């Protein structure tokens, strides 16, 4: 769907009726065919659950983006777009696609991380963290050992120097 975003703070909202708990919802949006320099045009996008105060998705001063979530409530989900461009005369269009349920699962969900992937990645990060700590410990030990050896060498040279002067 393509729509014009008015250059006022009111913005434009759409609603999506979710009738099944645990439905997947994904959306893509981007600014298209603006009448001026597209780099100057930005928008804020928010996605609210039914009776929700806190957004599931919040993107401020963006030109494009995507969202994805699992709906844990049945009801109307609101997707709101607001123009954040400084120029109040500028108008632009937004390309917006929202898919739910089976339509969302067909091909587009590959970009959304699965819980098993996140758990696996968290385990890998933990392993790397532990390896880094072990390397740091080993480096600290080696530095301490080098310092000790250097001091022992220095003391040995001093003793030899003092002994040489006493004997001579």
């Amino acid at each position: 769907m393509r729509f014009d975003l008015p250059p006022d703070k009111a913005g434009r909202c759409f609603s999506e009726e979710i009738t099944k708990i645990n439905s997947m919802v994904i959306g893509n949006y981007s600014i298209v065919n603006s009448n001026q320099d597209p780099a100057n045009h930005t928008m804020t996008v928010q996605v609210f659950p039914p009776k929700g105060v806190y957004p599931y998705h919040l993107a401020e001063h963006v030109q494009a983006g995507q969202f994805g979530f699992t709906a844990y409530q049945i009801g109307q989900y609101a997707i709101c777009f607001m123009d954040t461009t400084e120029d109040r005369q500028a108008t632009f269009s937004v390309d917006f696609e929202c898919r739910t349920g089976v339509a969302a699962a067909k091909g587009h969900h590959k970009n959304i991380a699965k819980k098993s992937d996140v758990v696996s990645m968290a385990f890998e990060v933990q392993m790397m963290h532990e390896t880094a700590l072990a390397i740091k410990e080993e480096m600290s030990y080696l530095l301490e050992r080098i310092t000790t050896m250097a001091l022992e060498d220095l003391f040995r040279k001093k003793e030899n120097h003092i002994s040489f002067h006493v004997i001579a």
Side-chain angles (χ1 to χ4, degrees), residues 10 14 21-22 30-31 35-37 40 42 45 55 58 64 69 75 81 92 101 106 115 125 139 151-152 163:
F14 301 93
I21 292 178
N22 293 330
S30 62
I31 295 175
N35 62 355
Q36 294 178 357
D37 180 18
N40 293 333
T42 60
V45 182
L58 172 62
F69 61 91
F81 298 84
F92 57 88
K106 289 186 178 178
K115 184 177 181 180
V125 168
M139 289 178 71
L151 285 174
E152 287 174 357
S163 298

Side-chain angles (χ1 to χ4, degrees), residues 73-84:
Q73 298 176 13
I74 294 173
Q76 295 280 336
Y77 285 75
I79 302 119
C80 297
F81 298 84
M82 289 172 284
D83 182 359
T84 54

Side-chain angles (χ1 to χ4, degrees), residues 80-145:
C80 297
F81 298 84
M82 289 172 284
D83 182 359
T84 54
T85 304
E86 295 297 323
D87 183 4
R88 293 289 115 212
Q89 304 303 317
T91 60
F92 57 88
S93 296
V94 176
D95 214 3
F96 173 55
E97 178 185 22
C98 185
R99 295 177 184 234
T100 61
V102 176
K106 289 186 178 178
H108 287 74
H109 72 285
K110 293 175 186 168
N111 295 335
I112 300 171
K114 295 179 184 174
K115 184 177 181 180
S116 61
D117 295 338
V118 173
V119 169
S120 174
M121 191 179 297
F123 177 74
E124 290 294 324
V125 168
Q126 180 65 31
M127 294 300 293
M128 283 191 255
H129 179 71
E130 289 175 9
T131 302
L133 287 176
I135 291 169
K136 180 182 178 260
E137 239 178 73
E138 182 70 21
M139 289 178 71
S140 295
Y141 169 75
L142 290 173
L143 180 62
E144 183 181 320
R145 199 65 190 116

Side-chain angles (χ1 to χ4, degrees), residues 1 3 14 26-32 42-47 57-68 79-81 93-98:
M1 152 185 14
F3 63 92
F14 301 93
I26 61 168
N28 294 305
Y29 51 87
S30 62
I31 295 175
V32 292
T42 60
M43 62 183 164
T44 293
V45 182
Q46 296 178 321
V47 179
H57 174 77
L58 172 62
E60 297 180 307
H61 302 284
V62 297
Q63 293 183 325
Q66 60 186 13
F67 60 85
I79 302 119
C80 297
F81 298 84
S93 296
V94 176
D95 214 3
F96 173 55
E97 178 185 22
C98 185

